[in-house]
């Protein structure tokens, strides 16, 4: 351990990758998503009817929090080109004669187009465009019923027979910072853990210190690995707990679980990531190749975790593959026990998976020792 702490102190790569970069990443994501929900997303309008009704609908659409009408286009073709040039993320089209058809009750067609190049913004734009399309028929229905002498309660019952009581679980503000930062930041920290773990073992070969390392541990490879990674584990655990305090203590992200659950989850995630990094180097005792595989696996885990696209919606083989990513299990434990407050027993199989990642080095410990004693570093 003393030998490893000296290496950590002398090599500034460790300081940057283990402390500086995680802090920058946490600050970056929470700053980018500080508002919580995208606002003033640029959209356009094609109003071929240009009546009081369509202009009123356009003003209502512009008043929504998410969308902002930045331009009006004479034709659908010009609006479509604006979407392709990434000037707007969508537009709504009111055809000629729509107001007349609305008043006559002939069910006119309102078209809206949106880009899903940005999944979150596209979904929110689609929601606002769909709502404003529904408001047009509701406004006409309200005017018609009022002309017939219906009361406000009767109008409300007719237009909305079923009142929806909608509650967003644990995040009533629809704050996307809560959903995304709590996955992306741990995912990138796990990326650094993967890389630093493989780098720590690989540099023993690169700088021709591998035999000295094994001799310092008395020839016991288990002691060598524990001595090397225990100081790193403590640093990573402090970093994990630091960003969790930043999220839940400073940023006031909602959480239903107790603090001890987050400490346990942080420790399991760090040890599982280190175990995976050691395992990859044991399979391929090459500094360059092991770090490449670790970086690839970590980047894929951001997609396979299930925060951006649900794993249950993926193909069967991909659902099975998701079990091979530590971030997936971290995310599920966080969702089940920390975010939603269910007992840890509900996520025991994900804890078991993280424990399996922690034990992976046992499979390759003999191969790592052989590499340290006999292999020659090849750039």
């Amino acid at each position: 351990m003393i030998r490893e702490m000296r290496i950590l102190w002398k090599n500034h790569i460790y300081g940057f990758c283990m402390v500086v970069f995680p802090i920058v990443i946490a600050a970056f994501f929470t700053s980018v998503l500080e508002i919580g929900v995208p606002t003033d997303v640029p959209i356009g309008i094609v109003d071929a009817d240009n009546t009081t009704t369509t202009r009123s609908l356009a003003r209502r659409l512009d008043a929504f929090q998410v969308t902002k009408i930045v331009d009006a286009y004479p034709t659908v073709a010009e609006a479509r080109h604006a979407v392709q040039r990434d000037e707007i993320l969508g537009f709504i089209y009111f055809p000629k004669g729509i107001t007349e058809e609305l008043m006559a009750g002939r069910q006119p067609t309102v078209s809206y187009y949106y880009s899903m190049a940005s999944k979150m913004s596209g979904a929110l734009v689609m929601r606002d465009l769909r709502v404003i399309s529904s408001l047009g028929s509701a406004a006409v229905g309200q005017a018609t019923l009022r002309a017939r002498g219906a009361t406000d309660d009767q109008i409300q019952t007719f237009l909305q027979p079923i009142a929806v009581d909608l509650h967003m679980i644990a995040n009533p503000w629809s704050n996307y910072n809560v959903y995304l930062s709590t996955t992306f930041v741990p995912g990138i920290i796990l990326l650094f853990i993967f890389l630093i773990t493989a780098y720590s073992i690989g540099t023993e070969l690169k700088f021709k210190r591998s035999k000295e390392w094994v001799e310092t541990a008395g020839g016991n490879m288990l002691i060598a690995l524990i001595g090397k990674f225990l100081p790193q584990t403590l640093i990573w655990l402090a970093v994990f707990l630091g960003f969790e305090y930043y999220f839940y203590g400073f940023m006031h992200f909602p959480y239903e679980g107790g603090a001890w659950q987050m400490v346990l989850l942080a420790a399991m995630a760090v040890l599982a990531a280190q175990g995976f990094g050691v395992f990859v180097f044991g399979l391929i005792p090459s500094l360059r190749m092991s770090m490449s595989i670790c970086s690839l696996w970590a980047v894929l885990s951001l997609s396979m975790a299930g925060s951006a696209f649900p794993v249950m919606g993926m193909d069967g083989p991909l659902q099975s593959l998701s079990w091979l990513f530590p971030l997936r299990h971290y995310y599920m434990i966080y969702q089940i026990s920390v975010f939603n407050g269910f007992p840890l027993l509900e996520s025991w199989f994900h804890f078991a998976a993280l424990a399996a990642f922690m034990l992976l080095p046992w499979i390759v410990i003999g191969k790592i020792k052989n590499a340290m004693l006999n292999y020659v570093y090849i750039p």
Side-chain angles (χ1 to χ4, degrees):
M1 286 179 61
I2 294 173
R3 175 182 179 275
E4 183 63 23
M5 286 188 287
R6 289 172 180 167
I7 294 175
L8 295 177
W9 180 258
K10 292 179 180 179
N11 193 337
H12 298 301
I13 290 179
Y14 290 102
F16 279 100
C17 291
M18 299 177 72
V19 179
V20 176
F21 291 156
I23 293 176
V24 172
I25 290 298
F28 170 77
F29 276 103
T30 51
S31 299
V32 169
L33 300 169
E34 183 178 7
I35 300 176
V37 179
T39 58
D40 294 338
V41 176
I43 64 171
I45 183 171
V46 180
D47 189 357
D49 203 34
N50 195 25
T51 61
T52 303
T53 300
T54 57
R55 289 195 296 269
S56 174
L57 291 174
R59 286 193 297 270
R60 291 188 183 186
L61 177 61
D62 193 44
F64 287 165
Q65 178 185 11
V66 173
T67 52
K68 180 178 179 60
I69 297 177
V70 296
D71 206 350
Y73 301 92
T75 64
V76 172
E78 293 188 29
R80 178 174 60 84
H81 291 153
V83 173
Q84 292 174 330
R85 291 191 300 267
D86 203 28
E87 296 174 358
I88 57 176
L89 286 184
F91 65 91
I92 190 167
Y93 170 53
F94 296 124
K96 182 70 174 176
I98 182 177
T99 303
E100 181 182 348
E101 292 185 4
L102 270 173
M103 297 304 178
R106 289 199 291 265
Q107 196 177 20
T109 300
V110 174
S111 303
Y112 52 87
Y113 302 80
Y114 56 95
S115 170
M116 289 297 289
S118 173
K119 187 173 180 62
M120 181 171 64
S121 298
L124 293 174
V125 167
M126 182 270 291
R127 182 193 64 185
D128 281 4
L129 294 175
R130 184 176 58 188
V131 169
I132 206 65
S133 301
S134 302
L135 286 179
S137 59
V140 174
Q142 183 181 26
T144 303
L145 291 172
R146 183 167 283 118
R148 293 177 180 175
T151 64
D152 289 341
D153 290 339
Q154 290 173 330
I155 293 173
Q156 181 67 24
T157 302
F158 180 80
L159 295 178
Q160 190 179 16
I162 299 175
V164 178
D165 188 15
L166 179 64
H167 299 275
M168 187 170 289
I169 297 175
N171 187 12
W173 316 277
S174 302
N175 189 337
Y176 283 85
N177 202 356
V178 172
Y179 294 132
L180 299 179
S181 293
T182 52
T183 304
F184 287 161
V185 173
I188 296 176
I189 292 178
L190 292 184
L191 164 64
F192 284 123
I193 297 177
F194 288 169
L195 293 175
I196 287 298
T197 300
Y199 175 81
S200 299
I201 305 177
T203 49
E204 298 290 351
L205 282 175
K206 179 178 181 179
F207 299 127
K208 299 179 181 180
R209 302 190 307 248
S210 56
K211 294 182 180 179
E212 174 204 339
W213 175 39
V214 177
E215 291 172 0
T216 305
N220 190 324
M221 202 60 212
L222 177 61
I223 295 177
L225 290 172
I226 293 176
K228 172 172 282 295
F229 290 111
L230 187 54
Q232 294 186 23
T233 302
L234 297 177
I235 296 174
W236 286 123
L237 187 57
V239 170
F240 242 91
L241 295 178
F243 91 76
E244 286 185 345
Y245 175 79
Y246 174 64
F247 283 170
Y248 305 107
F250 182 76
M251 298 290 292
H252 301 293
F253 284 3
Y255 70 95
E256 299 295 331
W260 68 273
Q261 291 181 340
M262 290 187 284
V263 173
L264 176 61
L265 180 56
M268 294 285 289
V270 169
L271 293 174
Q274 287 183 314
F276 181 82
V278 174
F279 175 72
V280 170
F281 186 88
L283 288 180
I284 308 174
S286 166
L287 175 62
R288 181 180 59 192
M289 290 301 298
S290 60
M291 291 186 68
S292 297
I293 293 175
C294 285
S295 61
L296 173 64
W297 211 250
V299 170
L300 288 177
S301 66
L302 294 173
S303 299
M304 300 301 295
S307 61
F309 188 86
V311 171
M312 65 185 69
M314 298 180 184
D315 292 337
L318 292 179
Q319 293 185 33
S320 301
L321 186 65
S322 68
W323 283 83
L324 303 180
F325 295 87
L327 182 61
R328 168 62 178 170
H329 304 290
Y330 171 90
Y331 172 73
M332 290 304 298
I333 296 172
Y334 164 76
Q335 285 289 316
I336 294 171
S337 300
V338 177
F339 188 72
N340 289 312
F342 291 103
L344 290 178
L345 187 62
E346 298 289 338
S347 55
W348 68 268
F349 38 93
H350 295 290
F351 274 106
L354 290 180
F357 281 107
M358 293 165 53
L359 297 175
L360 283 178
W362 283 103
I363 302 175
V364 295
I365 192 169
K367 191 172 181 180
I368 294 176
K369 182 176 182 179
N370 180 56
M372 294 298 106
L373 296 177
N374 301 311
Y375 283 23
V376 177
Y377 174 76
I378 300 176

